[in-house]
Amino acid sequence: MRLLLIHPAYHSGGAEIAGNWPPAWAAYLAGAIRKAGYEDVSFIDAMTDHIDDDELARRIREFKPDIVGTTSITPSIYKAERTLQIAKEQCPGVLTILGGVHATFMFKQVLTEAPWVDAIVRGEGEEIIVELIRAYESGNWLEARKTVKGLAFLETVDGATQIVATEAAPTVKDLDAIDPDWDILEWNKYQYIPLDCKVAIPNMARGCPFTCSFCSQWKFWRDYRIRDPKKVVDEIENLYKKHDVRFFILADEEPTINRKKFVAFCEELIARGLPDNVQWGINTRVTDILRDEELLPLYRKAGLLHVSLGTEAAAQLKLDLFNKETKVNDNKRAIELLRKNGIVVEAQFIVGLENETAETLEETYKMTQDWKPDLANWSMYTPWPFTPLFEELKDKVEVFDFEKYNFVTPIMKPAAMDRGELLDRVMNNYRRFYFKKALFSYPWAGSGMRRRYLLGCLKAFLKAGFQRKFYDLGKVGYWGPQSKNKVDFHFDESRKMDAATTGDWKAAAERSRKMQAQMNPADIKNCGGGDGQMSEEDMEGIDETVKAARAAEQAASGADQSHRMHV
C-alpha cells in the first residue's frame, strides 16, 4: 500500500512573509499511518517548493500511489481539489482523500464541484485515516467505506448520485498517544526569517472552550483536550536535537487557557535547558496575560519570545461583536506587561467589516501609537461560512471566491468606502507603523535576543514588501495611494456558495453554554464569561463537560451504529 500526502500549492502573501512553515498535518497523519503498520508513506510540499501542475503530475505518475491525500483551509480549497484531480488524471485507480476544516463543514459543495474526490475526512484525521486505509485494503471499498465514521462521499444508487456522510467520528481521546513523524519533512526548507533558523509548529492542546463568533477552530476540534506537558517537551526536544529546530510556535488557539499545564510546560523546558537554544511564540488572549502578570518572568525564562495578542478591534463595539470579553484599556496594559518582561508583543486587529470607516481605521493606528506594541498586524475580516458571525452577516457577503478568503483580501465591502480604499488605508497604517519602528525603536531595542528578533521581523517585512508579495500587492496591482482606484482583486464572480453542513457536528462549548443559559440566562457572558478568567476550577468543569460529551457520544454510537446522513 503506497500512500502519498500532498500539501497544495496555495500562496496568499500573508503569514508566508515570515518564512516557510512546515505542514504539521502531514507529520501527524504520517505518524498515525506508520504506527498502524503502513510504512510506504511519502510527502510532497507543493506550496513550499512552488510546484506547478505539470511537475506535480510528473511526481505523482512516477510514485504510483494507491492513495493520495491532501488537506485544505478555506482559501486553498480549489488548489486542493485540483491536486486530487491531477492525481486521478495520472493514476485513474488511485483513491483520493481530502481533509481539513473547510472540507469538514463544506463537504456538500466540495463533492459537488470536485466529484473526483473519493472521500472527505470530517474532523481530526489521525484515527479516521487509519480506518479508511483498512477499509480500502479490504478490497470492497464501496461497502466498507460506509462503516468508517467521519467520512463523506458520493454514492450512486439506481442511477442517481447522492452525497452520504457517515456518522461523525469521536474526537481523538488520547492526545498523548499521537506520535507525529516529523522525519517526513525536508527540514532544510523550513526557515524562519526573523531568526534565520528552522521553525516548527507543534501542538499542545486541541480545541477551545470559548466561542468567538468569527473563529472556526473551536467548532472544528469540538472539545478542549490538552497533552501531558512532558510529552510536548519531548517532541520539541526531539525537533531540536534531530532537526535543529530553534524556533517553534504552538499551534494551539490559546495555549495559556490551562495555566497549570502551561506553567508545567515552561518549567519542563527550563529543566531540560532548552531555552538556551530554542525560542518560541504563541497566540493568546489579553485576559490571560493580565491573569499571569506574576508568571511572565517565568514564561520568558522558558524561551517565550513572541506573543500575538487578539486585541482584535479598536472600538469596544467591535469587541462586543466578536464576543471578546476584553476592554480596550486591557489591551494597553497587557502589552506593557509583556514588553516589560522582554517579550516581543504583536497586536492583531480585525478590519474590513461593513461598518468600517476611514475614521475607525485611523483609530487602530492611533491605538498602536498609544499601546506601543512591537509589531502590529491588520487582518481583513474573513467570513468563514461555518462560523456564527457569518450567519449574522451573510446577507452582506457578496464574494464567494474562497481562494480570496485569506485575511489579506477585503471580502466584505464597507458601506463607507470601496475595497481599494480599504486596502490603501490598511497599507498606510503599515507604512507609518513600521517606518517609525525602523527609525526610532528596533535599532535601540537592547542588545540581546529581543533586538535581534525585531530586526529580523523588519527584514522579513521589508523583503516581502520589496518583492510585492506582502498582501498580494503585486497581484492586485497596488503601488501606493495613487493606485487605490485601480486595484483589481480578481474575484471569480462565477463562484457560488452552498450552506455549511453541521447538523451532526456539535462542539462541547456549545453544549456547555446552552446548559448554562438554561440554568441562569442573565449570568451568561460571551467568550468564556464576564470580566474574569478561567481558573483551575473552571478547567475542571470543562474536563467534566468533555467527559459528559464523550459519554453521550459513546451512548449514541451504541444505540445506532448504522446512522448515516443523506444530503
Side-chain angles (χ1 to χ4, degrees), residues 246 273-279 301:
R246 294 177 180 267
L274 284 169
D276 293 338
N277 299 292
V278 181
Q279 303 291 299
K301 184 179 179 182

Side-chain angles (χ1 to χ4, degrees), residues 44 72 96 115 217:
I44 296 174
S72 172
T96 52
Q217 292 301 300

Side-chain angles (χ1 to χ4, degrees), residues 387-435:
T387 60
L389 187 56
F390 180 84
E391 288 301 309
E392 297 179 34
L393 302 176
K394 63 182 179 182
D395 291 342
K396 300 178 177 65
V397 179
E398 57 187 16
V399 174
F400 304 111
D401 182 356
F402 289 138
E403 190 168 26
K404 305 301 192 300
Y405 279 47
N406 51 22
F407 296 113
V408 303
T409 304
I411 299 301
M412 305 287 289
K413 182 189 177 301
M417 65 179 77
D418 62 29
R419 291 183 175 87
E421 182 182 358
L422 172 59
L423 177 65
D424 178 59
R425 291 189 176 275
V426 168
M427 289 302 107
N428 187 40
N429 282 356
Y430 274 113
R431 283 191 296 266
R432 290 181 292 170
F433 181 86
Y434 284 101
F435 180 77

Side-chain angles (χ1 to χ4, degrees), residues 14-19 192-195 434 453-467 469-470:
E16 296 170 68
I17 70 169
Y192 189 58
I193 294 175
L195 291 178
Y434 284 101
Y453 188 75
L454 288 171
L455 290 175
C457 289
L458 181 61
K459 174 185 174 182
F461 183 79
L462 292 176
K463 179 181 178 181
F466 179 77
Q467 295 176 337
K469 292 181 178 179
F470 183 63

Side-chain angles (χ1 to χ4, degrees), residues 47-158:
M47 177 181 179
T48 298
D49 291 342
H50 293 266
I51 296 175
D52 62 21
D53 287 357
D54 290 340
E55 174 62 13
L56 182 61
R58 184 190 67 78
R59 294 195 187 189
I60 293 173
R61 187 168 59 248
E62 290 181 356
F63 186 74
K64 295 183 177 62
D66 297 296
I67 298 176
V68 171
T70 189
T71 189
S72 172
I73 55 176
T74 295
S76 65
I77 185 60
Y78 306 137
K79 294 292 186 182
E81 290 173 356
R82 177 58 182 150
T83 294
L84 297 182
Q85 184 178 31
I86 292 171
K88 278 290 190 186
E89 291 169 351
Q90 301 305 310
C91 304
V94 74
L95 187 73
T96 52
I97 309 300
L98 175 61
V101 61
H102 185 90
T104 290
F105 295 120
M106 304 295 290
F107 64 85
K108 286 197 304 179
Q109 180 165 356
V110 172
L111 289 172
T112 300
E113 65 192 13
W116 53 84
V117 176
D118 291 317
I120 286 174
V121 172
R122 302 166 61 219
E124 295 167 275
E126 288 92 350
E127 295 178 349
I128 300 174
I129 191 68
V130 172
E131 292 303 311
L132 182 153
I133 294 169
R134 289 171 177 163
Y136 185 65
E137 193 179 35
S138 72
N140 188 20
W141 164 247
L142 294 182
E143 288 302 314
R145 63 183 177 172
K146 300 174 185 178
T147 67
V148 180
K149 293 182 180 179
L151 296 186
F153 48 82
L154 293 174
E155 182 178 48
T156 301
V157 178
D158 297 330

Side-chain angles (χ1 to χ4, degrees), residues 235-477:
E235 188 174 331
I236 291 165
E237 188 173 37
N238 179 64
L239 284 165
Y240 164 62
K241 291 183 175 179
K242 194 169 184 179
H243 302 294
D244 196 32
V245 169
R246 294 177 180 267
F247 189 81
F248 68 88
I249 294 179
L250 288 176
D252 309 32
E253 282 68 54
E254 186 191 349
T256 52
I257 290 176
N258 191 322
R259 178 168 58 179
K260 183 177 180 180
K261 292 287 184 70
F262 189 74
V263 168
F265 171 71
C266 291
E267 291 174 338
E268 188 67 21
L269 287 168
I270 294 169
R272 301 194 198 185
L274 284 169
D276 293 338
N277 299 292
V278 181
Q279 303 291 299
W280 48 289
I282 62 172
N283 296 287
T284 194
R285 302 165 79 236
V286 165
T287 46
D288 283 19
I289 299 303
L290 300 178
R291 176 200 69 189
D292 294 350
E293 178 176 355
E294 295 182 359
L295 290 169
L296 295 180
L298 172 70
Y299 297 169
R300 180 66 196 104
K301 184 179 179 182
L304 179 58
L305 179 61
H306 183 159
V307 170
S308 180
L309 286 178
T311 51
E312 310 301 6
Q316 187 61 45
L317 173 64
K318 288 185 180 178
L319 293 176
D320 293 339
L321 177 63
F322 289 144
N323 286 3
K324 305 298 285 189
E325 67 177 72
T326 56
K327 299 293 186 287
V328 170
N329 286 339
D330 292 343
N331 298 328
K332 182 176 181 179
R333 175 61 177 159
I335 289 169
E336 289 174 346
L337 290 174
L338 288 166
R339 294 191 64 192
K340 177 182 176 182
N341 286 277
I343 298 172
V344 172
V345 56
E346 176 182 4
Q348 295 272 1
F349 296 97
I350 292 178
V351 298
L353 276 91
E354 83 285 352
N355 61 342
E356 196 76 75
T357 65
E359 290 75 21
T360 59
L361 286 169
E362 181 65 20
E363 187 66 18
T364 62
Y365 174 74
K366 290 179 179 178
M367 285 188 168
T368 64
Q369 301 308 293
D370 179 36
W371 300 349
K372 295 180 173 57
D374 298 298
L375 306 166
N377 184 38
W378 286 267
S379 295
M380 300 290 184
Y381 169 64
T382 301
W384 305 126
F386 27 81
T387 60
L389 187 56
F390 180 84
E391 288 301 309
E392 297 179 34
L393 302 176
K394 63 182 179 182
D395 291 342
K396 300 178 177 65
V397 179
E398 57 187 16
V399 174
F400 304 111
D401 182 356
F402 289 138
E403 190 168 26
K404 305 301 192 300
Y405 279 47
N406 51 22
F407 296 113
V408 303
T409 304
I411 299 301
M412 305 287 289
K413 182 189 177 301
M417 65 179 77
D418 62 29
R419 291 183 175 87
E421 182 182 358
L422 172 59
L423 177 65
D424 178 59
R425 291 189 176 275
V426 168
M427 289 302 107
N428 187 40
N429 282 356
Y430 274 113
R431 283 191 296 266
R432 290 181 292 170
F433 181 86
Y434 284 101
F435 180 77
K436 287 186 176 182
K437 289 294 185 182
L439 290 182
F440 307 115
S441 178
Y442 295 164
W444 295 274
S447 59
M449 181 61 73
R450 175 182 164 81
R451 179 176 183 272
R452 177 189 169 193
Y453 188 75
L454 288 171
L455 290 175
C457 289
L458 181 61
K459 174 185 174 182
F461 183 79
L462 292 176
K463 179 181 178 181
F466 179 77
Q467 295 176 337
R468 313 295 298 158
K469 292 181 178 179
F470 183 63
Y471 264 62
D472 258 353
L473 297 181
K475 291 182 181 179
V476 302

